[in-house]
PDB file of all heavy atoms in Angstrom:
ATOM      1  N   TRP D 415      -2.560 -15.107   6.166  1.00 95.00           N
ATOM      2  CA  TRP D 415      -3.118 -14.823   7.627  1.00 95.00           C
ATOM      3  C   TRP D 415      -4.652 -14.404   7.544  1.00 95.00           C
ATOM      4  O   TRP D 415      -5.183 -13.866   8.396  1.00 95.00           O
ATOM      5  CB  TRP D 415      -2.351 -13.491   8.073  1.00 95.00           C
ATOM      6  CG  TRP D 415      -0.906 -13.720   8.186  1.00 95.00           C
ATOM      7  CD1 TRP D 415       0.130 -13.218   7.470  1.00 95.00           C
ATOM      8  CD2 TRP D 415      -0.269 -14.470   9.175  1.00 95.00           C
ATOM      9  NE1 TRP D 415       1.377 -13.786   7.840  1.00 95.00           N
ATOM     10  CE2 TRP D 415       1.070 -14.563   9.021  1.00 95.00           C
ATOM     11  CE3 TRP D 415      -0.735 -15.481  10.278  1.00 95.00           C
ATOM     12  CZ2 TRP D 415       1.980 -15.298   9.735  1.00 95.00           C
ATOM     13  CZ3 TRP D 415       0.194 -16.087  11.007  1.00 95.00           C
ATOM     14  CH2 TRP D 415       1.481 -16.028  10.643  1.00 95.00           C
ATOM     15  N   VAL D 416      -5.276 -14.971   6.533  1.00 95.00           N
ATOM     16  CA  VAL D 416      -6.828 -14.759   6.492  1.00 95.00           C
ATOM     17  C   VAL D 416      -7.339 -16.078   7.018  1.00 95.00           C
ATOM     18  O   VAL D 416      -6.989 -17.120   6.750  1.00 95.00           O
ATOM     19  CB  VAL D 416      -7.191 -14.669   5.008  1.00 95.00           C
ATOM     20  CG1 VAL D 416      -8.783 -14.813   4.826  1.00 95.00           C
ATOM     21  CG2 VAL D 416      -6.739 -13.236   4.328  1.00 95.00           C
ATOM     22  N   ASP D 417      -8.423 -15.803   7.781  1.00 95.00           N
ATOM     23  CA  ASP D 417      -9.304 -16.894   8.246  1.00 95.00           C
ATOM     24  C   ASP D 417     -10.361 -17.224   7.185  1.00 95.00           C
ATOM     25  O   ASP D 417     -11.322 -16.512   6.909  1.00 95.00           O
ATOM     26  CB  ASP D 417      -9.958 -16.425   9.513  1.00 95.00           C
ATOM     27  CG  ASP D 417     -11.118 -17.547  10.037  1.00 95.00           C
ATOM     28  OD1 ASP D 417     -11.156 -18.565   9.414  1.00 95.00           O
ATOM     29  OD2 ASP D 417     -11.594 -17.367  11.133  1.00 95.00           O
ATOM     30  N   TRP D 418     -10.085 -18.188   6.413  1.00 95.00           N
ATOM     31  CA  TRP D 418     -10.908 -18.697   5.144  1.00 95.00           C
ATOM     32  C   TRP D 418     -12.325 -19.028   5.479  1.00 95.00           C
ATOM     33  O   TRP D 418     -13.002 -19.351   4.703  1.00 95.00           O
ATOM     34  CB  TRP D 418     -10.165 -19.535   4.294  1.00 95.00           C
ATOM     35  CG  TRP D 418      -9.073 -18.816   3.622  1.00 95.00           C
ATOM     36  CD1 TRP D 418      -7.729 -19.028   4.044  1.00 95.00           C
ATOM     37  CD2 TRP D 418      -9.026 -17.923   2.635  1.00 95.00           C
ATOM     38  NE1 TRP D 418      -6.947 -18.135   3.330  1.00 95.00           N
ATOM     39  CE2 TRP D 418      -7.633 -17.590   2.402  1.00 95.00           C
ATOM     40  CE3 TRP D 418      -9.883 -17.358   1.820  1.00 95.00           C
ATOM     41  CZ2 TRP D 418      -7.125 -16.592   1.370  1.00 95.00           C
ATOM     42  CZ3 TRP D 418      -9.653 -16.423   0.879  1.00 95.00           C
ATOM     43  CH2 TRP D 418      -8.286 -16.163   0.652  1.00 95.00           C
ATOM     44  N   SER D 419     -12.625 -19.186   6.863  1.00 94.00           N
ATOM     45  CA  SER D 419     -13.965 -19.471   7.268  1.00 94.00           C
ATOM     46  C   SER D 419     -14.757 -18.272   7.677  1.00 94.00           C
ATOM     47  O   SER D 419     -15.991 -18.314   8.129  1.00 94.00           O
ATOM     48  CB  SER D 419     -13.948 -20.496   8.458  1.00 94.00           C
ATOM     49  OG  SER D 419     -13.393 -19.884   9.586  1.00 94.00           O
ATOM     50  N   ASP D 420     -14.151 -17.104   7.705  1.00 93.00           N
ATOM     51  CA  ASP D 420     -14.687 -15.757   8.156  1.00 93.00           C
ATOM     52  C   ASP D 420     -15.072 -14.958   6.864  1.00 93.00           C
ATOM     53  O   ASP D 420     -14.173 -14.310   6.292  1.00 93.00           O
ATOM     54  CB  ASP D 420     -13.819 -15.069   9.085  1.00 93.00           C
ATOM     55  CG  ASP D 420     -14.404 -13.731   9.535  1.00 93.00           C
ATOM     56  OD1 ASP D 420     -15.583 -13.402   9.224  1.00 93.00           O
ATOM     57  OD2 ASP D 420     -13.605 -12.992  10.108  1.00 93.00           O
ATOM     58  N   ARG D 421     -16.346 -14.958   6.491  1.00 89.00           N
ATOM     59  CA  ARG D 421     -16.763 -14.428   5.249  1.00 89.00           C
ATOM     60  C   ARG D 421     -16.629 -12.906   5.409  1.00 89.00           C
ATOM     61  O   ARG D 421     -16.604 -12.209   4.362  1.00 89.00           O
ATOM     62  CB  ARG D 421     -18.141 -14.858   4.749  1.00 89.00           C
ATOM     63  CG  ARG D 421     -19.332 -14.119   5.598  1.00 89.00           C
ATOM     64  CD  ARG D 421     -20.640 -14.358   4.792  1.00 89.00           C
ATOM     65  NE  ARG D 421     -21.675 -13.683   5.416  1.00 89.00           N
ATOM     66  CZ  ARG D 421     -22.841 -13.599   4.934  1.00 89.00           C
ATOM     67  NH1 ARG D 421     -23.184 -14.219   3.864  1.00 89.00           N
ATOM     68  NH2 ARG D 421     -23.810 -12.891   5.666  1.00 89.00           N
ATOM     69  N   ARG D 422     -16.595 -12.278   6.489  1.00 90.00           N
ATOM     70  CA  ARG D 422     -16.483 -10.822   6.688  1.00 90.00           C
ATOM     71  C   ARG D 422     -15.028 -10.309   6.187  1.00 90.00           C
ATOM     72  O   ARG D 422     -15.007  -9.255   5.665  1.00 90.00           O
ATOM     73  CB  ARG D 422     -16.667 -10.430   8.183  1.00 90.00           C
ATOM     74  CG  ARG D 422     -18.047 -10.710   8.693  1.00 90.00           C
ATOM     75  CD  ARG D 422     -18.145 -10.520  10.189  1.00 90.00           C
ATOM     76  NE  ARG D 422     -17.203 -11.492  10.781  1.00 90.00           N
ATOM     77  CZ  ARG D 422     -16.911 -11.382  12.141  1.00 90.00           C
ATOM     78  NH1 ARG D 422     -17.557 -10.552  12.957  1.00 90.00           N
ATOM     79  NH2 ARG D 422     -16.144 -12.259  12.718  1.00 90.00           N
ATOM     80  N   THR D 423     -14.108 -11.286   6.317  1.00 93.00           N
ATOM     81  CA  THR D 423     -12.736 -10.781   6.094  1.00 93.00           C
ATOM     82  C   THR D 423     -12.184 -11.511   4.742  1.00 93.00           C
ATOM     83  O   THR D 423     -11.435 -10.853   4.033  1.00 93.00           O
ATOM     84  CB  THR D 423     -11.722 -10.900   7.147  1.00 93.00           C
ATOM     85  OG1 THR D 423     -11.844 -12.191   7.577  1.00 93.00           O
ATOM     86  CG2 THR D 423     -12.220  -9.970   8.350  1.00 93.00           C
ATOM     87  N   CYS D 424     -12.496 -12.785   4.529  1.00 95.00           N
ATOM     88  CA  CYS D 424     -11.827 -13.492   3.629  1.00 95.00           C
ATOM     89  C   CYS D 424     -12.128 -13.117   2.181  1.00 95.00           C
ATOM     90  O   CYS D 424     -11.475 -13.295   1.269  1.00 95.00           O
ATOM     91  CB  CYS D 424     -12.081 -15.062   3.721  1.00 95.00           C
ATOM     92  SG  CYS D 424     -13.659 -15.551   3.218  1.00 95.00           S
TER      93      CYS D 424
END
Side-chain angles (χ1 to χ4, degrees):
W415 299 108
V416 167
D417 179 355
W418 292 99
S419 67
D420 180 6
R421 76 168 187 170
R422 297 169 300 175
T423 57
C424 75

